[in-house]
Amino acid sequence: MCEANAYLVREDGSEELLLKAVDKLTIDGDTVYLVDVFGRQERLRARVRSLALVDHKILLERTETP
Amino acid sequence: MCEANAYLVREDGSEELLLKAVDKLTIDGDTVYLVDVFGRQERLRARVRSLALVDHKILLERTETP
């Protein structure tokens, strides 16, 4: 399976695991929707910073509130 | 290998293949940088619309110019 783990990058640069085995990610405005291979869902105000698919890694960062 | 193919979604909804076997994707402002497993690179003004990793699919859409 080619899912990836989604991490939230904190301001200090450390990474917090949000959801493992993510299959689908959808962006709608400043909201990121994640769905893992088991159908579990997460939603957060964030943006995608980077993907490293061979390393199974999705990095997200919080959207600053204006 | 768990790379994905990156497509640009046109205004009519059709999908144009941009780069196969993408390993890394990085977003910097309104620019998306893609690197495939062979080190080939693409750069375009776009945003990520969605990922479907089990289907090996990354969908991007052009950033509207202001």
Side-chain angles (χ1 to χ4, degrees), chain B residues 2 13-14 25 35 45 47 57 63 65:
Chain B
C2 284
S14 63
L25 180 154
V35 183
R45 288 194 62 203
R47 59 174 157 245
K57 205 160 184 181
T63 311
T65 45

Side-chain angles (χ1 to χ4, degrees), chain B:
Chain B
M1 294 288 272
C2 284
E3 65 280 1
N5 300 324
Y7 298 85
L8 185 66
V9 181
R10 297 197 196 93
E11 281 187 23
D12 66 2
S14 63
E15 297 171 3
E16 175 189 343
L17 181 62
L18 279 174
L19 191 63
K20 284 186 173 182
V22 171
D23 171 18
K24 293 190 163 59
L25 180 154
T26 310
I27 298 174
D28 184 12
D30 61 0
T31 302
V32 174
Y33 298 84
L34 302 168
V35 183
D36 76 5
V37 294
F38 308 106
R40 282 187 292 241
Q41 300 181 31
E42 288 283 344
R43 182 180 67 173
L44 71 158
R45 288 194 62 203
R47 59 174 157 245
V48 176
R49 176 190 280 197
S50 64
L51 309 175
L53 297 179
V54 174
D55 290 337
H56 303 272
K57 205 160 184 181
I58 299 169
L59 295 185
L60 304 175
E61 56 191 4
R62 290 267 182 214
T63 311
E64 290 85 20
T65 45

